[in-house]
């Protein structure tokens, strides 16, 4: 048992090393790794922090239809979670910049410019999403931002545009007010998101 634990630890160390260390080639051509150092009992020893590894019970699919649903979900999350994270980061940067502007007129001007810029960047990308992926993105925005898409549009662009975009989304059977429930109906999405973001899927 002790030997098995040692082997597992060494394997984890070997897999994690490229993520937490810098590779260096010495003068004689051999490879060396630069890692952090910690004091332990008066001695300096190498120190690395292993990445978090998420372990879930294996999924059991009753039929091929469930398997296909899961495979499609993994594909859709891989396509939409980067967008949701980008949107979250843009919102944080926008909020920080708005706080530096002197008055409402300057803030409105900045938001108008930002809206045009974002439309130019994201409209082509959004058009490549399927309806299912679009609905998933709405949920993932709520996950990343702690506010649903309707609330965010209302906050930055006003009630009129929020209502307009909500009405437009409803034509396709979607809702910008959709929220994310990681422990309820979206528990499988949450599992996939965690594994995808952590590089395990």
């Amino acid at each position: 048992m002790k030997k098995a634990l040692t082997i597992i630890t060494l394997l984890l160390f070997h897999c994690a090393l490229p993520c937490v260390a810098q590779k260096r080639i010495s003068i004689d051509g051999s490879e060396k790794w630069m890692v952090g150092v910690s004091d332990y009992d008066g001695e300096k020893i190498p120190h690395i922090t292993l990445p978090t590894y998420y372990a879930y019970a294996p999924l059991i699919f009753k039929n091929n239809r469930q398997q296909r649903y899961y495979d499609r979900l993994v594909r859709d999350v891989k396509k939409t979670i980067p967008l949701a994270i980008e949107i979250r980061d843009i919102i944080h940067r926008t909020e920080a910049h708005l706080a530096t502007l002197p008055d409402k007129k300057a803030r409105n001007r900045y938001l108008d410019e930002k809206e045009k810029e974002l439309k130019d960047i994201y409209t082509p990308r959004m058009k490549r999403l399927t309806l299912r992926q679009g609905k998933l993105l709405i949920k993932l925005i709520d996950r990343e931002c702690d506010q649903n898409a309707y609330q965010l549009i209302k906050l930055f662009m006003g009630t009129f545009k929020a209502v307009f975009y909500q009405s437009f989304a409803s034509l396709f059977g979607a809702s910008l007010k959709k929220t994310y429930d990681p422990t309820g109906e979206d528990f499988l999405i949450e599992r996939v998101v965690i594994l995808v973001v952590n590089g395990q899927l």
Side-chain angles (χ1 to χ4, degrees):
M1 182 68 176
K2 210 170 183 181
K3 189 174 181 182
L5 284 172
T6 304
I7 291 169
I8 290 169
T9 303
L10 288 171
L11 282 171
L12 282 171
F13 181 84
H14 178 72
C15 293
L17 192 57
C19 301
V20 295
Q22 291 185 331
K23 191 175 184 180
R24 293 285 185 268
I25 306 297
S26 64
I27 295 172
D28 63 2
S30 61
E31 291 184 0
K32 300 193 183 303
W33 293 91
M34 303 292 290
V35 298
V37 175
S38 291
D39 286 320
Y40 180 77
D41 255 358
E43 291 186 38
K44 292 195 180 297
I45 60 170
H47 170 87
I48 67 166
T49 302
L50 295 174
T52 302
Y53 182 85
Y54 295 92
Y56 291 98
L59 290 172
I60 298 170
F61 302 106
K62 293 179 181 177
N63 49 49
N64 289 337
R65 185 179 176 185
Q66 286 186 349
Q67 176 74 63
R68 286 195 302 272
Y69 172 82
Y70 179 76
D71 292 341
R72 194 167 56 233
L73 178 61
V74 171
R75 183 195 65 204
D76 291 347
V77 166
K78 285 182 176 180
K79 192 165 185 178
T80 53
I81 192 62
L83 276 168
I85 291 170
E86 283 179 40
I87 290 166
R88 177 200 67 197
D89 294 342
I90 288 167
I91 288 168
H92 289 167
R93 289 197 300 270
T94 301
E95 286 177 327
H97 187 73
L98 285 172
T100 67
L101 297 177
D103 53 38
K104 188 176 179 180
K105 186 177 179 181
R107 287 193 288 273
N108 287 341
R109 187 167 59 246
Y110 172 74
L111 286 173
D112 288 343
E113 291 169 1
K114 198 69 180 173
E115 182 182 357
K116 184 180 183 308
E117 177 192 331
L118 293 176
K119 277 183 179 176
D120 291 343
I121 294 171
Y122 285 98
T123 298
R125 293 174 68 181
M126 296 297 180
K127 283 182 177 178
R128 290 197 291 269
L129 297 179
T130 64
L131 179 58
R132 186 181 59 253
Q133 290 166 349
K135 289 180 177 180
L136 177 60
L137 178 61
I138 289 169
K139 284 192 171 193
L140 293 179
I141 287 171
D142 184 60
R143 179 188 189 270
E144 294 300 316
C145 302
D146 291 324
Q147 292 183 84
N148 63 45
Y150 181 86
Q151 291 169 322
L152 291 168
I153 294 170
K154 184 178 177 182
L155 177 66
F156 290 106
M157 300 180 189
T159 303
F160 177 78
K161 285 189 177 179
V163 171
F164 172 78
Y165 286 120
Q166 169 64 10
S167 301
F168 185 75
S170 67
L171 294 175
F172 298 93
S175 173
L176 300 178
K177 296 180 179 181
K178 197 73 177 169
T179 55
Y180 188 73
D181 183 9
T183 58
E185 67 173 4
D186 300 318
F187 78 96
L188 186 58
I189 297 174
E190 180 68 8
R191 170 178 169 148
V192 172
V193 168
I194 288 171
L195 293 176
V196 167
V197 170
N198 204 49
Q200 292 177 234
L201 265 181

